[in-house]
Amino acid sequence: AMPVGGDITEITFNHPTIGSGVLYPKAAEDNTFDLGGFNSSDDQNMIDGGGNMIDQMNRKRWKVGVLIANDMNTKLDLEKVEAMAASPVQADWTFAHISGVVYVATGKPVGDKELNVNQSTFALTVSGGGKLKKQ
């Protein structure tokens, strides 16, 4: 089998009070998935006097970074994302790739969400506890 790269075709969310919806990423953009879980520190000084590695392991959140095409007339994508960011309750998310692979997780929008009104896009970062898992 060969690796298949390409677009995130759609993102769905289901929030207990805000409701559910679909976000459509802009095509042909570099988007990122960080599955979360455990990481070992990349620190050259994590070594003892005898030359043995000190393995500093820490848990980190999963994270998806994607450029969203925004409809400010009817769908109000940015407004829904802002409402979820302001909520203390997390949503269930699905991230569908052009290859047919779908990843799922529970989390919320984090960080800045600035709308580029010329391109009609905004950068979305969604993150949460546990792991981003292939469905």
Side-chain angles (χ1 to χ4, degrees):
M2 67 178 175
V4 176
D7 295 334
I8 306 300
T9 55
E10 73 174 25
I11 298 170
T12 65
F13 60 86
N14 186 6
H15 190 278
T17 58
I18 295 165
S20 60
V22 179
L23 300 171
Y24 292 105
K26 184 175 179 293
E29 294 292 330
D30 288 334
N31 301 302
T32 59
F33 285 7
D34 183 331
L35 302 182
F38 291 104
N39 268 13
S40 291
S41 171
D42 182 16
D43 181 346
Q44 293 289 67
N45 295 316
M46 291 301 292
I47 195 163
D48 68 18
N52 301 298
M53 178 180 175
I54 300 170
D55 188 12
Q56 178 185 347
M57 295 178 64
N58 298 102
R59 186 182 299 273
K60 68 180 231 174
R61 300 186 308 198
W62 65 268
K63 179 172 72 170
V64 171
V66 62
L67 190 65
I68 300 296
N70 183 66
D71 177 356
M72 66 177 122
N73 289 317
T74 54
K75 275 185 66 203
L76 305 175
D77 300 299
L78 183 60
E79 286 78 359
K80 290 175 186 170
V81 166
E82 288 288 354
M84 286 186 282
S87 173
V89 179
Q90 297 179 70
D92 293 325
W93 294 83
T94 66
F95 304 91
H97 187 258
I98 199 165
S99 65
V101 171
V102 175
Y103 281 83
V104 298
T106 300
K108 66 183 291 183
V110 297
D112 293 332
K113 294 157 286 302
E114 291 183 351
L115 175 61
N116 180 325
V117 295
N118 189 45
Q119 298 290 323
S120 193
T121 60
F122 64 92
L124 172 65
T125 303
V126 183
S127 186
K131 289 189 64 94
L132 181 65
K133 297 180 181 174
K134 186 177 171 184
Q135 194 173 43

